[in-house]
Amino acid sequence: MTTVQTRPAAPQEAPLPAPSGRRRRRRPKGLGSLPLLFVVSFLILVPAGFVLLAAFSVDIPRPGSINFDLTLQHLAVFIEPGVLRATVNSLIIGVSATLLALLIGGFLAFATARTNIPMRGFVFLIGLMPLFLPSYVGALAWSQLGSPVAGLLNIGMRDLGIDFTVNIYSMFGVVLVMGMFYAPYAFLLMHSSMSLMNPDLEDAAGVHGGSTWQMLRSVTFPLAMPAILGSALLVFTHIFENFPVSQVLATPGQIDTLPTFIYRLMNASPSRGNEAAVMAVVLVIVVLLVTLGQRRILARRSYTTVSGKGLKARRISLGRWRWPLFAIALVYLLLAIVLPLAALILTAVRTSPYMQSFSDLAVPGAIDFGSFGRVLQSDLFLDSAGNSVIVAVVSAAAGTLLAFLVGYTVYRTKAKARGALEGVSMVPLAIPAIVLGMGLLWTWLVMPVPLYGTLAVLMIAFVAVQMPQGLRGIASSIQSTERDLEDNAVLHGARRSRAVLSITVPLMRVGIASTFLMLLMLSMRELTVPLFLYTSDTHILSITIFDQFENGGALQQAAAMSVIYCLIMFVLSYLPRRLGSGGMNP
């Protein structure tokens, strides 16, 4: 009998716990994504849907009535003689002003990022300064400068005996003003790209005998193409949909654009809202086609130049061209900031709106600086400014909160609806403001909630229109914030909401505050959307200034308001920089 000896089984080792880092990386499920998607869709897609419905329905949406009887008869608006002319004018202005803005912004970006131009910091500030002056205020100022009959520039040239007339109410004038005041958008995008550019390819071009111009033409500018095309898309869409500048400068010169044509249809008696909706759809289609074209161009090749190496873009010596190029930057400063502000101040302090010569200012009593004090004490200014502050603060706070909820859901959770949530939030970028304004008007006219005619409808409108900017501001901050601390708090028993409020929000305080201030400034600048929603009881500052200039009887008061308004915008623009520099200190 054989005895088989068996070895006792080895004790089974307990499995090692999963690395804590793996658990920390587990995303929350984001169960609230569907209600959030509903809210965002209601704010953005419902107004857009009403515009589309109005374009093909028998009648526009009215209080208590939505007409679903469809028709194609409103497409007849396309055969009106003014439609083709307005479309062509919009395209000419959009393309020409975009090229001018790219030329100005690209020059300033290249000069400050890549050259040894004198006083680079000051030139950089020149590139940003027009942001402090909203485009429609700049247009109002240039209407005082370049009016063919009573413009300050023409009065000055007559005093000097120069036989030349500046006519800002022309295609050239509209393109000039649009290009100057949208150049900062191109400047910011292109400056960032040129500052981060890897110099290796440029050095290789120099080693192989290429001149500076050949290097710029074959290496630098092609590598900056994404920033150039991105700037072109952003600037073109803003200019193409711009209503205020066209209304102030193009309409007096009998130049129709699509936005002014739509606005006139909406204000016709009786209102031609259905035809306006058809033209609004055309605006959206043009913007979408331009966006798709840009994406197709960029998809053809790679433009990656920034790597993990700590490289710094090389600076090009301008030689004898340093001071002439600096002088060109000063000319832009003169045209975009100095002359418009001087015109507003002079219009505000003149006691008489009529002036034949600058010698008239030497007459006793011709100048009165007390107009600023009277404006500050007037009920119209106080009511408008109070409404502006209330609307801007509430909409900026609500927009920041909504953007944070959307951003957290999209970038920190596994919610199935996060892709749709991000997509819907970015839709206003493809819908011109005048189109959303029409849609918001009809939305809140038919809703059973009586919000139309209150400040609340302006707040809701601003939140919807500025959703893309708020989400982009929050997204950049949320993606640069490490979430390990938040996940560790959850692992130690804290509720997710408490971890977010106690850890993530404090870590993002600078980004959240900067987003709030950005939305606050955008709300103060907005004019096109509230034009469709305001009433006599809900004037805000931008609407009041626009109305005063349009009526023509209160130029002094409107100019004084504009100067005060520009000071407010300067403060709001300066606060994020102070906050950003202070936020890094312990």
Side-chain angles (χ1 to χ4, degrees):
M1 180 176 179
T2 305
T3 303
V4 179
Q5 294 182 349
T6 58
R7 182 179 297 175
Q12 189 173 6
E13 295 183 2
L16 293 174
S20 59
R22 188 174 301 170
R23 294 190 65 185
R24 286 199 300 267
R25 291 294 179 186
R26 182 177 299 168
R27 291 188 175 194
K29 293 181 179 180
L31 298 177
S33 61
L34 290 179
L36 197 58
L37 179 61
F38 174 80
V39 171
V40 175
S41 299
F42 179 80
L43 290 175
I44 298 171
L45 297 185
V46 170
F50 271 117
V51 174
L52 187 62
L53 175 64
F56 298 101
S57 63
V58 173
D59 200 3
I60 61 173
R62 300 182 185 276
S65 172
I66 304 177
N67 196 317
F68 290 99
D69 296 332
L70 302 183
T71 180
L72 297 178
Q73 66 181 9
H74 307 305
L75 298 180
V77 72
F78 288 127
I79 65 175
E80 291 191 14
V83 172
L84 179 60
R85 185 170 61 249
T87 304
V88 172
N89 288 340
S90 291
L91 290 173
I92 292 174
I93 292 171
V95 172
S96 303
T98 298
L99 292 175
L100 179 60
L102 291 177
L103 181 64
I104 297 172
F107 161 69
L108 293 174
F110 178 74
T112 53
R114 304 302 307 278
T115 75
N116 63 340
I117 193 171
M119 304 173 65
R120 267 200 322 273
F122 178 61
V123 176
F124 182 87
L125 186 60
I126 290 175
L128 294 179
M129 279 184 179
L131 290 175
F132 309 148
L133 198 69
S135 60
Y136 58 87
V137 174
L140 297 172
W142 267 99
S143 71
Q144 298 301 300
L145 284 167
S147 173
V149 177
L152 297 175
L153 291 179
N154 291 316
I155 292 174
M157 281 189 282
R158 285 199 296 267
D159 286 347
L160 296 174
I162 300 174
D163 186 17
F164 181 80
T165 300
V166 176
N167 182 11
I168 203 66
Y169 302 137
S170 62
M171 189 73 76
F172 173 80
V174 177
V175 168
L176 176 67
V177 173
M178 291 270 203
M180 286 193 302
F181 287 99
Y182 282 105
Y185 296 91
F187 166 72
L188 286 172
L189 288 176
M190 287 194 271
H191 182 275
S192 176
S193 173
M194 292 182 179
S195 299
L196 297 173
M197 195 170 290
N198 191 323
D200 288 349
L201 294 175
E202 295 178 339
D203 292 339
V207 168
H208 287 81
S211 64
T212 300
W213 169 243
Q214 288 174 327
M215 176 198 71
L216 293 175
R217 183 169 52 86
S218 59
V219 178
T220 305
F221 295 145
L223 288 176
M225 189 57 65
I228 295 173
L229 289 179
S231 304
L233 171 64
L234 177 66
V235 172
F236 177 82
T237 53
H238 277 77
I239 291 175
F240 189 74
E241 71 179 52
N242 186 286
F243 164 76
V245 176
S246 297
Q247 179 70 7
V248 173
L249 300 181
T251 301
Q254 305 299 312
I255 301 172
D256 245 343
T257 64
L258 282 177
T260 58
F261 191 85
I262 292 172
Y263 184 74
R264 192 164 63 252
L265 289 175
M266 288 290 292
N267 286 275
S269 183
S271 176
R272 300 175 62 187
N274 296 103
E275 290 94 334
V278 172
M279 301 305 301
V281 173
V282 173
L283 267 178
V284 175
I285 291 174
V286 171
V287 172
L288 289 176
L289 289 176
V290 172
T291 304
L292 292 174
Q294 183 230 18
R295 290 185 176 180
R296 285 179 66 94
I297 293 173
L298 291 181
R300 293 176 183 173
R301 54 176 291 190
S302 172
Y303 297 88
T304 303
T305 62
V306 181
S307 63
K309 301 186 218 176
L311 298 174
K312 185 178 181 181
R314 57 182 290 197
R315 294 200 179 275
I316 298 171
S317 176
L318 296 175
R320 62 182 180 180
W321 289 98
R322 292 180 72 224
W323 290 104
L325 292 182
F326 179 72
I328 293 176
L330 291 182
V331 170
Y332 174 61
L333 174 67
L334 177 70
L335 295 176
I337 298 296
V338 177
L339 285 179
L341 283 179
L344 290 175
I345 293 173
L346 184 58
T347 304
V349 300
R350 279 163 39 196
T351 55
S352 172
Y354 306 104
M355 189 173 74
Q356 297 296 322
S357 169
F358 276 97
S359 60
D360 295 348
L361 299 176
V363 177
I367 299 294
D368 178 20
F369 286 92
S371 58
F372 291 104
R374 289 191 293 273
V375 164
L376 288 172
Q377 295 174 359
S378 67
D379 291 337
L380 179 62
F381 175 80
L382 292 175
D383 291 342
S384 300
N387 289 341
S388 292
V389 170
I390 294 171
V391 170
V393 170
V394 174
S395 60
T400 303
L401 175 61
L402 184 60
F404 178 83
L405 294 175
V406 172
Y408 187 89
T409 302
V410 171
Y411 298 105
R412 287 288 178 89
T413 74
K414 291 183 177 179
K416 293 181 179 180
R418 65 182 187 274
L421 191 57
E422 183 179 22
V424 173
S425 299
M426 302 304 292
V427 163
L429 288 179
I431 302 179
I434 194 169
V435 179
L436 270 180
M438 294 166 52
L440 288 162
L441 168 66
W442 290 327
T443 299
W444 294 103
L445 277 176
V446 303
M447 288 297 156
V449 183
L451 289 182
Y452 182 77
T454 68
L455 293 179
V457 75
L458 294 178
M459 300 170 189
I460 294 172
F462 288 173
V463 170
V465 172
Q466 296 158 10
M467 188 65 202
Q469 292 85 349
L471 179 58
R472 288 284 72 114
I474 290 294
S476 61
S477 180
I478 227 172
Q479 289 175 301
S480 62
T481 303
E482 181 57 59
R483 71 167 184 254
D484 282 352
L485 291 175
E486 176 190 324
D487 289 338
N488 278 331
V490 174
L491 287 175
H492 284 83
R495 295 177 62 87
R496 176 67 63 175
S497 58
R498 183 179 179 185
V500 170
L501 292 175
S502 302
I503 297 173
T504 304
V505 170
L507 288 175
M508 293 176 57
R509 65 187 182 277
V510 174
I512 292 174
S514 296
T515 300
F516 171 80
L517 290 171
M518 177 184 67
L519 296 182
L520 184 70
M521 186 171 67
L522 290 175
S523 299
M524 292 290 293
R525 293 169 64 104
E526 185 59 50
L527 173 64
T528 305
V529 170
L531 270 176
F532 292 94
L533 301 172
Y534 83 97
T535 64
S536 57
D537 295 326
T538 58
H539 268 83
I540 58 176
L541 202 52
S542 58
I543 292 292
T544 300
I545 293 172
F546 186 78
D547 277 351
Q548 295 294 310
F549 267 102
E550 282 287 283
N551 294 334
L555 288 179
Q556 184 186 46
Q557 190 176 25
M561 283 188 187
S562 297
V563 174
I564 299 169
Y565 183 57
C566 291
L567 291 175
I568 295 172
M569 297 306 300
F570 175 79
V571 173
L572 293 178
S573 302
Y574 182 68
L575 281 177
R577 297 189 67 182
R578 291 290 302 170
L579 182 68
S581 61
M584 299 302 294
N585 297 329

